Amino acid sequence: MEFRHLRYFLVLAEELHFGRAARRLSISQPPLSLNIQQLEASVGAKLFTRNSKAVQLTAAGLAFVPAARALIDQAAQAASHARDVGQGMAGSLAIGFSGTMLYSGLPNILERFQAEHPLLRLTLKELSSSEQLIELAHDRLDLGFVHTTRVPPELSQILVSSQAFVCCLPAGHALARKRSLSLKQLHGEAFAVVSRAVSPDYHERILAICTEAGFYPEIRYELRHWLSVVSLVSQGMGVALVPAALRQSAMAGAAFVPLDAATTPYDTHCLWKTARDHQSLAAFVKAVRAIAPPV
């Protein structure tokens, strides 16, 4: 049984006339008759009764009509879906991100991209930068948003954002109402940080910033997520240096105070495997470039 047989059958079932059906199909009557005979042989039942005056569907033919239509529709849907995937209009993308991206443009990227590509399914996974590099290497992620400069050569990258560090203090802290403060003023405070195991780049950067200010921070709390750091500070348990975007978290009990001197910025890069070449990935990269700062 071929899809050609089904199409010919459905047209004849509508016309109930070999001449009219053949004209609709742009073929002559003998090939139409042959295809109907081949279909009946494949089905194992007569689908039409015909004589010199009329063509009628048999009981088997009547029962076969909805099934034939369903098969034709399924084939058309399968072809359409394959075409959409090939053109980057359907399918799925797995995207990794760290928590600060929720405050650094990721929701806007996703909203705009999904509006333009409604058939593409986006799966998001919150992972540390080091975890994302592993997932990208094993093709379990299509793209990742990371905060590391240790990027393998097989990955392409776009700088998505570059933001300053700010001091995160308990709202009742003596320095919380300052317009800005010197990092030296945090000397002796208990620091909360994202752990070295989760984000070695950030951990080392905090140590370097404090060392340049003339002191070594007393790291008392090591956590896995940025919002955990802010939450701990909001409970009055310590202080932290966090990316400026976290001010948008508006967590009760936490205050954010700018530093009076510039420090090494906190950069976010979008990464993907250069060798991976498919349209949906290229479309998402294009959406990221649209919001990236000028080079």
Side-chain angles (χ1 to χ4, degrees):
M1 185 187 305
E2 299 179 15
F3 283 105
R4 179 183 72 252
H5 295 148
L6 298 177
R7 288 191 289 107
Y8 288 5
F9 165 76
L10 288 173
V11 171
L12 183 57
E14 291 173 5
E15 295 291 345
L16 295 177
H17 189 283
F18 275 88
R20 290 195 298 271
R23 285 193 293 275
R24 273 184 60 183
L25 293 165
S26 300
I27 60 174
S28 61
Q29 289 189 46
L32 175 58
S33 297
L34 177 61
N35 276 273
I36 295 300
Q37 292 168 10
Q38 291 172 340
L39 177 61
E40 289 175 329
S42 177
V43 171
K46 282 288 185 182
L47 302 175
F48 295 95
T49 58
R50 42 222 188 259
N51 55 41
S52 58
K53 294 184 178 180
V55 176
Q56 295 294 328
L57 283 162
T58 64
L62 285 168
F64 192 60
V65 168
R69 285 203 180 105
L71 287 170
I72 291 291
D73 290 343
Q74 288 173 13
Q77 290 170 9
S80 176
H81 181 69
R83 184 167 56 252
D84 288 343
V85 171
Q87 295 174 352
M89 297 169 61
S92 63
L93 284 174
I95 300 168
F97 72 102
S98 59
T100 54
M101 275 305 296
L102 294 175
Y103 305 103
S104 301
L106 182 59
N108 289 337
I109 296 173
L110 297 176
E111 183 179 2
R112 291 175 56 183
F113 183 80
Q114 204 70 85
E116 295 176 5
H117 303 275
L119 299 181
L120 266 168
R121 180 172 177 267
L122 302 180
T123 302
L124 271 67
K125 300 180 182 180
E126 184 179 3
L127 300 166
S128 69
S129 295
S130 55
E131 289 169 336
Q132 289 183 62
L133 292 178
I134 293 171
E135 296 297 287
L136 285 164
H138 290 88
D139 295 324
R140 293 191 289 262
L141 284 181
D142 294 296
L143 302 99
F145 290 91
V146 305
H147 310 291
T148 180
T149 56
R150 309 176 195 193
V151 178
E154 66 269 19
L155 298 179
S156 295
Q157 60 181 295
I158 301 170
L159 176 63
V160 177
S161 70
S162 185
Q163 54 187 302
F165 282 103
V166 297
C167 295
C168 181
L169 304 167
H173 194 284
L175 300 173
R177 294 178 179 272
K178 295 282 188 180
R179 295 176 63 89
S180 66
L181 58 83
S182 167
L183 200 54
K184 290 181 180 180
Q185 292 176 272
L186 299 181
H187 186 204
E189 297 277 1
F191 271 74
V193 299
V194 175
S195 73
R196 185 189 297 275
V198 172
S199 184
D201 288 72
Y202 161 75
H203 198 97
E204 292 170 10
R205 199 169 306 166
I206 296 304
L207 294 180
I209 290 172
C210 291
T211 301
E212 289 170 6
F215 70 97
Y216 194 87
E218 182 185 339
I219 296 177
R220 196 173 298 174
Y221 312 101
E222 296 198 30
L223 307 163
R224 286 192 55 82
H225 301 285
W226 281 110
L227 287 179
S228 298
V229 171
V230 176
S231 180
L232 185 143
V233 172
S234 74
Q235 300 301 313
M237 299 173 67
V239 302
L241 291 177
V242 302
L246 282 173
R247 288 181 293 196
Q248 298 177 47
S249 67
M251 190 173 293
F256 300 89
V257 182
L259 293 169
D260 61 6
T263 62
T264 305
Y266 186 76
D267 292 342
T268 302
H269 291 87
C270 177
L271 306 181
W272 69 95
K273 260 191 178 178
T274 307
R276 298 197 75 177
D277 181 22
H278 57 82
Q279 293 296 320
S280 56
L281 176 59
F284 196 88
V285 169
K286 181 180 178 181
V288 174
R289 290 191 192 279
I291 64 97
V295 180

